[in-house]
Amino acid sequence: MCAASACCGPERVTTPATTPAHGGDRIAEALRAHGVQRIFTLCGGHISPILAAAKARGIRIVDVRDEVTAVFAADATARLTGSPGVAAVTAGPGITNTITALKNAQAAQSPVILIGGAAPTALQGRGALQDIDQRPLVEPHVKRFLKMRRVRDLAPAVAEAFELAMSGVPGPVFIECPVDLLYPEAEIRKWYAEAAGQGRALPDRALRWYLSRHAERMFAGAGAPASRPSAPRQVVVPRASDAALHRAAAMLERAKQPLFVIGSQAVVMADEADELAEAVGRLNVPVYLSGMARGLLGRDHPLQMRHARRQALREADCVLLAGVPCDFRLDYGRHVRRGATLIAANRSAKDARLNRRPDVAAIGDAGQFIRSLAQTLPTAVDHWAGWTATLRARDLQREAEIDKQAAVQGQFVNPLAFFRALEAEASEGAVFVADGGDFVATASYVLHPRAPLTWLDPGAFGTLGVGAGFAMGAALARPTSAADSGPEREVWIVFGDGACGWGLAEFDSFVRQGIAVIAVVGNDAGWTQIAREQVKMLGDDVATVLARSNYHDVVAGFGAEGLLVQRSYEVRPVLRRARELARQGKAVLVNVWLDKTEFREGSLSM
């Protein structure tokens, strides 16, 4: 227990064989009532009652080696299932370790519930172990910070957190649970009595009176119906107005060169992704997909374009941004030409108007808006066929250029050729998790996600280190066993050699918990995305140089399978071997030595 200290009182509790009802039970029961199947965590005494009670109720406890991984895994769960993912971490440093993942979930609009421990209510601000004021650290990065003061409020807080996380613009919610709300009431009262002592002096008697009153307030009404699990609350999906829908439909009908750009927010309702894909097909408008929307139309849909997006946006006369803000990825709106009609469908009014005021702001769920457009407009006609053919021809030309660049031979492995091989070898049920800079960006040009919700990247925050947690969440949300129906499930992590440094220790977690993922590390011995422009502009490679480290040996030390690729002819046999090992239930890492390329010159973003 990381909180074992006399100042924390409850850490000295010995749990009897039959544990009486306590705050941890109430939270676990509420999580079960909301359909939670797993909690991602790193253990800590402040939260032990929650974990034990959840396990007793059949909720899987998935323990990791870093709290940030737990939140990344919960984030991936949310993205792939459409329901909030849940993580629980201990107080103080356990919570501070999650800040990056919380911020990433907020930026990606991902519904995550983080349950955090806290020092005993009676000792907060008095120097207790791991006691800090957690609100100022966490509150800026979540939709709501729920601070618990009474046991009877724990279960209702879970219901409130689930509703908040999914309503409006989705995002993370934090529930702070002080340790003395979680352990059995009798033990807490016993601890309070011991802490007050038996002294007869006035200060001693005053302390006993204060702690007794404090306990009464904490446990008041704990047996009342309000403390029982609250039923899941109905979350109303925000819908754009009919006026916005009809204006957008009219603009689209008049367009000669329309274009859709669909982003992650459009697939928040994960169980409706197939319906969204069908609606896009009926509208017959060429489309670019980004973030979690990659793969929405399958591997090779004729309407999906992958290259020359900037040029297409500058030529389009009507652009629909579905869940996509005009941030740095669209050059703050400048990629869309001024003369074009701009329709912004977004749950966030702020994002819909960010940097560029649209002609139509359809404030509501972007996926639902596209489905409504498909129902409003008549059956698509072919008067956009020429425009689509032009974009398709550019795509084919760019693919031919990539093929030519992939054919260049070097000392080690051409990254483009590697991804051509991975594209051919990965199963039709593959899920790709992207964690890196230059190597991952190269993958985005070559890999074709096979189906909706089969590509996970960090999103607009650009966070490195998501790979292990995302893969863990993806593997458990989409089982990889041979008994799973449908195409063979595989979870691939595409690691840059810089990014993989965050996730290597989690191969211990993969092995211990039987999670069979396949990681490929693009090992070019450097932080290449940074080095490209830094060396060119500043003439110095300082802090961008890495070694060609034996990452495959590191994971072997954790009990996983490590494979090394140094030559092009080794790539496909090793990828097949990796797939075979994963089918046997083993976690695998393939360390691929890469040649340097100029494929992504000019990749610096501001």
Side-chain angles (χ1 to χ4, degrees), residues 399-424:
E399 290 290 336
E401 293 170 357
I402 292 173
D403 282 337
K404 183 177 180 181
Q405 291 173 287
V408 175
Q409 296 289 318
Q411 182 180 3
F412 300 118
V413 177
N414 182 322
L416 290 166
F418 173 79
F419 284 121
R420 285 291 196 228
L422 179 55
E423 169 67 15

Side-chain angles (χ1 to χ4, degrees), residues 76-100:
T77 299
R79 298 187 194 200
L80 293 176
T81 66
S83 298
V86 178
V89 301
T90 198
I95 288 168
T96 60
N97 283 346
T98 69
I99 297 299
T100 296

Side-chain angles (χ1 to χ4, degrees), residues 94-273:
I95 288 168
T96 60
N97 283 346
T98 69
I99 297 299
T100 296
L102 273 179
K103 188 64 187 183
N104 193 78
Q106 183 191 54
Q109 300 177 351
S110 188
V112 170
I113 309 296
L114 177 60
I115 301 170
T121 55
L123 293 179
Q124 290 182 8
R126 299 181 61 195
L129 177 66
Q130 298 178 337
D131 179 29
I132 58 172
D133 185 359
Q134 296 172 160
R135 184 186 291 273
L137 291 169
V138 175
E139 194 167 45
H141 315 300
V142 296
K143 292 184 71 174
R144 189 76 57 83
F145 184 105
L146 301 173
K147 187 177 182 70
M148 297 295 96
R149 296 288 191 184
R150 300 179 301 183
V151 173
R152 73 181 186 188
D153 294 334
L154 292 172
V158 171
E160 182 180 3
F162 270 75
E163 180 183 25
L164 285 168
M166 289 298 297
S167 62
V169 179
V173 177
F174 182 83
I175 308 174
E176 182 184 78
C177 299
V179 65
D180 50 349
L181 301 187
L182 298 179
Y183 282 84
E185 179 178 352
E187 298 291 350
I188 297 300
R189 287 185 181 276
K190 179 181 176 182
W191 172 69
Y192 277 165
E194 292 173 355
Q198 301 298 318
R200 304 303 300 168
L202 181 60
D204 295 325
R205 286 183 289 166
L207 178 59
R208 282 197 297 273
W209 177 86
Y210 167 74
L211 290 178
S212 177
R213 290 275 303 192
H214 185 79
E216 290 297 329
R217 286 193 297 268
M218 273 202 322
F219 293 105
S227 69
R228 296 175 188 157
S230 302
R233 303 177 186 178
Q234 185 69 34
V235 177
V236 177
V237 177
R239 291 176 175 267
S241 67
D242 288 343
L245 175 64
H246 292 303
R247 286 185 61 204
M251 291 172 176
L252 195 57
E253 274 197 289
R254 293 195 298 268
K256 302 298 183 185
Q257 297 183 167
L259 193 66
F260 288 176
V261 182
I262 301 177
S264 298
Q265 195 198 88
V267 292
V268 164
M269 294 186 289
D271 58 344
E272 298 181 4

Side-chain angles (χ1 to χ4, degrees), residues 245-489:
L245 175 64
H246 292 303
R247 286 185 61 204
M251 291 172 176
L252 195 57
E253 274 197 289
R254 293 195 298 268
K256 302 298 183 185
Q257 297 183 167
L259 193 66
F260 288 176
V261 182
I262 301 177
S264 298
Q265 195 198 88
V267 292
V268 164
M269 294 186 289
D271 58 344
E272 298 181 4
D274 289 337
E275 296 175 25
L276 174 59
E278 183 184 358
V280 173
R282 289 204 310 272
L283 286 166
N284 205 30
V285 175
V287 61
Y288 287 89
L289 304 173
S290 65
M292 285 297 297
R294 286 171 56 90
L296 178 68
L297 301 181
R299 189 190 283 215
D300 292 303
H301 197 284
L303 289 175
Q304 182 183 346
M305 308 301 159
R306 290 185 167 86
H307 306 295
R309 186 177 74 173
R310 180 183 304 185
Q311 183 178 357
L313 283 168
R314 288 176 173 169
E315 294 173 353
D317 60 358
C318 181
V319 175
L320 168 63
L321 301 181
V324 177
C326 286
D327 59 13
F328 72 95
R329 293 167 292 184
L330 293 179
D331 196 21
Y332 308 97
R334 289 190 290 269
H335 283 177
V336 182
R337 65 184 175 94
R338 287 294 172 187
T341 299
L342 179 60
I343 305 163
N346 205 298
R347 290 188 179 215
S348 167
K350 177 183 177 182
D351 284 354
R353 298 178 174 88
L354 185 66
N355 296 313
R356 175 82 179 260
R357 183 168 291 277
D359 296 280
V360 176
I363 308 306
D365 182 73
Q368 187 276 330
F369 182 76
I370 291 175
R371 295 197 301 275
S372 296
L373 267 180
Q375 294 170 357
T376 302
L377 287 169
T379 303
V381 293
D382 289 337
H383 65 270
W384 299 325
W387 164 239
T388 302
T390 297
L391 299 180
R392 174 59 56 198
R394 287 180 194 158
D395 255 34
L396 294 174
Q397 180 181 359
R398 181 57 171 147
E399 290 290 336
E401 293 170 357
I402 292 173
D403 282 337
K404 183 177 180 181
Q405 291 173 287
V408 175
Q409 296 289 318
Q411 182 180 3
F412 300 118
V413 177
N414 182 322
L416 290 166
F418 173 79
F419 284 121
R420 285 291 196 228
L422 179 55
E423 169 67 15
E425 292 294 337
S427 77
E428 286 304 304
V431 176
F432 298 110
V433 174
D435 187 9
D438 196 71
F439 190 56
V440 163
T442 301
S444 70
Y445 283 88
V446 181
L447 289 180
H448 294 188
R450 276 71 167 130
L453 306 173
T454 57
W455 173 276
L456 290 95
D457 62 33
F461 199 43
T463 308
L464 295 183
V466 304
F470 275 17
M472 187 175 294
L476 295 175
R478 290 172 172 256
T480 56
S481 70
D484 184 39
S485 61
E488 187 177 0
R489 303 296 188 190

